[in-house]
Amino acid sequence: MGVFRSVARPVILAAGRQDGLRRAAERLPVTREVVHRFVPGESVADVMDSVEQLRNSHRLVSIDYLGEDVTDRETAEATVAAYLQLIEAFSTRGEAAAGVRPLEVSIKLSALGQALPRDGEKIALENARAICEPAQRAGVWVTVDAEDHTTTDSTLSVVRELRVDFDWVGTVLQAYLKRTHADCQDFAAPPGATSGRGARIRLCKGAYEEPASVAHRDSAAITDSYLRCLTVLMAGSSYPMVASHDPEIISAVPALARENGCGVDDFEYQMLYGIRDGEQRRLADEGNNVRVYVPFGTQWYGYFVRRLAERPANLTFFLRALAERRR
Ligand SMILES: Cc1cc2nc3c(=O)[nH]c(=O)nc-3n(C[C@H](O)[C@H](O)[C@H](O)COP(=O)(O)OP(=O)(O)OC[C@H]3O[C@@H](n4cnc5c(N)ncnc54)[C@H](O)[C@@H]3O)c2cc1C
């Protein structure tokens, strides 16, 4: 796993940024079959089937319309339109709730225009607002995903702006970044803070290839940072969203919650669609809030490559499927 992390992972993640490879992969039917394990479909109708199944097994959902690194305004607007269609489909389920909201959308600011020249951040903020307004009416939460570290300052600044009008907007912090412990302190509103209630924070390890100058790169150091950040979130008045499949992290949660007086509705577990389904069900059956992150859409390449980079077995499975198809 050490060699995989230090040698193969950077190469796989670099492939995730290659446009030519993306176009080739998206055309291969076999890729689509393997991708299906992580991405249940391309349309709102496909994803609503998954929502139905997950809700029937008492799991909560967060839906991501796939797309990132958008370079023109029209594509960013098309992304907003896709979210509006999704929120409309959510409204028909009549699941609005006052406390923990069962339905959530996850958005990436780079898909909403953040990287556009000149006014990118402002355009992304306006587009995010256009999603938050109908989400508020529909009783749907919005959480802003974290991308590579060059976008963190801009993303957190947009999140702070959004939270002025929509204090339920959440965001993602990545435990591998050295800055994240301080960001958790900022967003968690520690006991005695005068800055109001803490934010909903999804804490994950982080999925991008980052330099040692800004990020922990060793898996033990990342897990250690994760647990220290989670302790800050649990101690404050934030709503921590424990986004991890790692047994070491999941098994540490009950004691941390107990020590900080957190009941089951004061935090939630989150996992990705298609990963550790049995563990998701076990946690939900024990009465915990478990949210499943479900991506959909045609732009699955970047997301899929990050899943391959997380686990040697996924890559082996993918290569084997390709080889079998060639025979
Ligand atoms: C709900 C959610 C939202 C996320 N949002 C973001 C985000 O906005 N930005 C970001 O940078 N990252 C995001 N991530 C990804 C995250 O940063 C990690 O890359 C990913 O979750 C793997 O880390 P882990 O904590 O599961 O631990 P790991 O140490 O990677 O994995 C622990 C165990 O989980 C299982 N597992 C983990 N990954 C896989 C996989 N791909 N396939 C099969 N089994 C696997 C394996 O059993 C593995 O041994 C998100 C993750 C989740 C769960």
Side-chain angles (χ1 to χ4, degrees), residues 1 5 9 37-38 62 106 108 144-148 172-174 176 202-208 219 223 226 242-247 249 270-272 274-276 291-293 306-311 314:
M1 186 70 187
R5 207 179 163 83
R9 189 171 178 274
R37 178 182 156 198
F38 301 109
S62 187
S106 287
K108 280 191 175 50
V144 179
D145 282 358
E147 300 179 66
D148 74 73
V172 180
L173 296 176
Q174 297 152 313
Y176 64 12
R202 174 192 300 157
L203 184 64
C204 67
K205 286 186 180 174
Y208 297 78
S219 40
T223 303
Y226 191 108
V242 185
S244 178
H245 315 90
D246 186 346
I249 288 169
Q270 295 195 343
M271 294 193 201
L272 301 176
I275 302 182
R276 302 203 69 198
R291 193 177 302 274
V292 183
Y293 182 103
R306 287 195 291 281
R307 303 295 77 81
L308 291 184
E310 274 155 6
R311 204 168 177 235
N314 289 343

Side-chain angles (χ1 to χ4, degrees), residues 31-52:
T31 327
R32 290 226 188 91
E33 284 165 30
V34 182
V35 167
H36 222 69
R37 178 182 156 198
F38 301 109
V39 180
E42 298 193 345
S43 67
V44 169
D46 294 335
V47 85
M48 290 310 286
D49 285 346
S50 306
V51 169
E52 184 68 24

Side-chain angles (χ1 to χ4, degrees), residues 146-149 152-153 156 160 171-188 201-207 210 213-216 221-233 241:
E147 300 179 66
D148 74 73
H149 82 277
T152 310
D153 279 331
L156 296 186
R160 285 191 177 92
T171 194
V172 180
L173 296 176
Q174 297 152 313
Y176 64 12
L177 292 185
K178 293 175 180 170
R179 60 176 285 165
T180 293
H181 192 260
D183 288 332
C184 286
Q185 284 169 324
D186 247 27
F187 278 99
I201 296 294
R202 174 192 300 157
L203 184 64
C204 67
K205 286 186 180 174
E210 301 287 15
S213 52
V214 298
H216 304 287
I222 296 172
T223 303
D224 182 59
S225 166
Y226 191 108
L227 292 173
R228 284 187 298 109
C229 290
L230 185 58
T231 305
V232 172
L233 296 177
M241 302 181 276

